[in-house]
Amino acid sequence: TAPRILSILAALLLLITSLTACSGGITREEAKTAMDALLTALDNEDYAGAADLYHPDAAMTEELLAAFAEQVKTKVGIDLTEGAAVEKITGISSSYYDSTVGGSRYELTARIKAGDKTASLTVEVIRNDRGCGIFKVECYP
């Protein structure tokens, strides 16, 4: 478990560094780092660590993330606690300024795989005066 904990800490440190470094817009690399850090935290069932990746406006909690992981497992058929990893980026959408979030946003969609199952995962990262972090996550077949 020590390597898992170290990988989570490294991913969180990289995410925090990259998100605080973004002045104005959010880059693809920053959004991808956020997605990877989220998948790593969910893989380790570190729901507190995963919740820390979220933007303050998202009001994410450990309980909501645990419920999300269970819902994805039952409804989408992929277990995010089995080492889900990005296979391929399939879509992007970004805005330097989006009035709906009061700042910049970057949405990244990827095909992910855990075990022998695949699904699509969309992660939206926003940055505004209240902070920078994941705002919304969706997973679907």
Side-chain angles (χ1 to χ4, degrees):
T1 61
R4 282 186 163 191
I5 292 170
L6 288 175
S7 68
I8 290 172
L9 291 174
L12 288 173
L13 180 61
L14 180 61
L15 176 68
I16 290 168
T17 302
S18 67
L19 291 180
T20 56
C22 58
S23 59
I26 300 169
T27 67
R28 176 183 173 148
E29 292 76 29
E30 291 162 338
K32 175 78 167 62
T33 299
M35 179 181 278
D36 289 340
L38 178 66
L39 289 174
T40 299
L42 292 175
D43 174 40
N44 292 300
E45 298 182 56
D46 178 13
Y47 302 117
D52 288 342
L53 300 171
Y54 277 76
H55 188 277
D57 290 348
M60 187 52 66
T61 65
E62 294 177 52
E63 294 78 18
L64 289 172
L65 279 166
F68 170 75
E70 185 59 33
Q71 181 181 20
V72 168
K73 184 177 179 180
T74 58
K75 293 187 177 181
V76 181
I78 188 168
D79 188 348
L80 298 175
T81 65
E82 289 186 351
V86 173
E87 283 191 317
K88 179 181 178 182
I89 303 298
T90 59
I92 61 170
S93 171
S94 68
S95 176
Y96 189 76
Y97 183 82
D98 185 321
S99 61
T100 60
V101 299
S104 60
R105 61 170 286 284
Y106 200 107
E107 186 176 277
L108 191 63
T109 300
R111 197 77 187 147
I112 61 170
K113 184 172 186 173
D116 63 346
K117 305 287 184 176
T118 60
S120 289
L121 180 73
T122 299
V123 174
E124 181 181 39
V125 178
I126 66 169
R127 179 182 181 88
N128 59 25
D129 292 340
R130 293 172 299 285
C132 188
I134 297 171
F135 187 68
K136 179 175 70 173
V137 176
E138 296 176 323
C139 191
Y140 43 94

